[in-house]
Amino acid sequence: MHIVLDETAMAAAGHGNVLASRLIHRAHAETGWYLYAPACALVEADQARPGTAEHLAALPGMTVLHLDLPAVLAVARQNAWAAAHCQYAAQPTPDRPDGAIVATTAPERWIGEPVRVLDLTP
């Protein structure tokens, strides 16, 4: 299971959201569970709640996705960098042929976007 946390899910994890905490635990404890933190979303989450980026990046089950050139080009075409980087990260790749699911506490923002969504709203 490949899951991309958007900035709302990252902030929710910092506020003790039970569903976000379960994802983090599974990524650490269970084989086949992977959590991704796109750098642009990590920056936005940290701006909303200082310390979030450092905390999430230190978690053993978390992979921070940096901006390589294809990601920069995808993000540059959008106004909201965090959402654009999450959407880019969720697309299929050779390592993730089915893509990834975007975990969020704002599922309405993803309506009409080409991503699968996991609603973390309690």
Side-chain angles (χ1 to χ4, degrees):
M1 181 70 64
H2 297 273
I3 305 206
V4 173
L5 298 177
D6 76 0
E7 72 280 5
T8 68
M10 293 178 194
H15 287 293
N17 179 292
V18 173
L19 299 173
S21 295
R22 286 181 186 164
L23 287 177
I24 291 167
H25 173 74
R26 282 192 164 177
H28 174 66
E30 294 184 31
T31 303
W33 281 79
Y34 304 94
L35 279 185
Y36 304 97
C40 291
L42 202 54
V43 167
E44 196 165 314
D46 199 72
Q47 288 174 337
R49 188 171 198 278
T52 299
E54 192 171 18
H55 173 73
L56 289 177
L59 294 173
M62 188 71 62
T63 300
V64 175
L65 299 176
H66 303 284
L67 285 170
D68 56 9
L69 181 57
V72 167
L73 296 175
V75 168
R77 292 185 204 112
Q78 304 293 326
N79 291 328
W81 287 14
H85 198 187
C86 290
Q87 182 176 332
Y88 173 79
Q91 299 309 306
T93 66
D95 292 341
R96 299 184 308 272
D98 294 327
I101 299 167
V102 176
T104 184
T105 60
E108 64 282 351
R109 79 186 269 194
W110 295 103
I111 293 172
E113 298 297 338
V115 296
R116 295 175 292 158
V117 173
L118 176 61
D119 185 355
L120 299 183
T121 306

